[in-house]
Amino acid sequence: MHGRNDRVAPFDQIAKFAKSYRRKGNRCELVDYEGAGHTFFNYNTNEQLYQLSLNALDGFLVDLGFLSPEEPLVF
């Protein structure tokens, strides 16, 4: 998950890393958030983006088998 307006780690660099990581046979899913900056996924920054990020992370971990679908992430 990465914000398109991240000034600390520009999105283009992250996209390049993700592509390289996948090319080496690793699983890497880059989810971009248009208009979001570096800390968009923190609860105190934007509650809606926090929840979207948490849901995406939960789905990824379920898909990898680290969580069961019945165990949602709740903080």
Side-chain angles (χ1 to χ4, degrees):
M1 296 174 283
H2 207 82
R4 286 268 180 183
N5 290 351
D6 190 328
R7 295 181 305 179
V8 176
F11 185 83
D12 290 344
Q13 288 180 347
I14 302 308
K16 184 178 176 181
F17 169 81
K19 183 177 180 180
S20 175
Y21 199 69
R22 285 190 297 269
R23 201 174 339 173
K24 296 198 181 287
N26 299 296
R27 181 167 175 188
C28 184
E29 296 178 22
L30 178 57
V31 179
D32 64 316
Y33 289 82
E34 192 64 46
H38 189 66
T39 60
F40 72 92
F41 52 83
N42 290 330
Y43 181 79
N44 62 344
T45 301
N46 184 311
E47 188 176 343
Q48 181 182 8
L49 290 178
Y50 167 82
Q51 193 60 52
L52 288 171
S53 301
L54 195 60
N55 292 343
L57 177 59
D58 185 55
F60 184 72
L61 293 175
V62 167
D63 196 41
L64 289 174
F66 290 115
L67 293 177
S68 71
E70 298 83 33
E71 298 176 55
L73 291 175
V74 178
F75 293 95

